[in-house]
Amino acid sequence: MIVGVGSDLCDIRRLAAVLERHGDRFAARCFTAVERAKAERRADRAGTYAKRFAAKEACAKALGTGLRHGVFWRDMGVVNRPSGQPTMLLTGGALLRLGAIVPAGHEAVIHLSLTDEHPYAQAFVVIEAVPSRPA
């Protein structure tokens, strides 16, 4: 069953201006170490950050809280499954909120779709609750 849906659109030019103005301070405040390492290796650094920023916003919407009630930017990180498919890794307040919206006897699966077409980056997040597998 679907327990959360969120989407977001980010202007890559706006994020590039923020990175230019605030640099590492902004990146360290909003992005995990894994996300920063990936973005810094890319030629389109701002585009990579913009997709991840949109993913965080979409995830916060899917959690139903936005960026409040103990959910912070770095509690939500974009990671890749072994197949390369992106998903979200939640920690801290975001993980607590995820636990609160997933029914007993179920586990969460977070689906993430990222895309960009300059000057925009877009993300969709769907949080699905699936029955837990027997031990």
Side-chain angles (χ1 to χ4, degrees):
M1 82 182 77
I2 304 296
V3 295
V5 176
S7 69
D8 194 66
L9 183 67
C10 181
D11 188 325
I12 297 169
R13 298 166 299 189
R14 186 175 138 248
L15 199 97
V18 170
L19 287 166
E20 181 70 27
R21 192 173 34 235
H22 301 289
D24 291 338
R25 196 176 81 191
F26 169 75
R29 185 175 140 247
C30 294
F31 299 97
T32 67
V34 170
E35 290 172 314
R36 291 191 313 268
K38 183 171 211 144
E40 296 301 327
R41 288 192 307 265
R42 298 280 173 94
D44 184 15
R45 175 178 174 252
T48 301
Y49 276 124
K51 282 189 278 189
R52 279 145 186 80
F53 192 85
K56 291 167 186 287
E57 288 275 10
C59 186
K61 291 171 186 175
L63 289 169
T65 59
L67 289 157
R68 57 178 196 249
H69 302 295
V71 176
F72 299 101
W73 292 109
R74 286 183 295 164
D75 289 345
M76 302 169 286
V78 176
V79 296
N80 295 91
R81 294 185 172 124
S83 66
Q85 179 185 18
T87 188
M88 301 295 297
L89 177 64
L90 304 186
T91 60
L95 184 59
L96 290 173
R97 176 62 184 159
L98 181 65
I101 65 173
V102 174
H106 290 74
E107 57 189 56
V109 177
I110 301 176
H111 304 278
L112 170 62
S113 179
L114 299 169
T115 191
D116 64 327
E117 181 68 36
H118 197 70
Y120 300 106
Q122 186 174 34
F124 290 96
V125 171
V126 175
I127 302 173
E128 180 182 17
V130 297
S132 297
R133 293 190 175 121

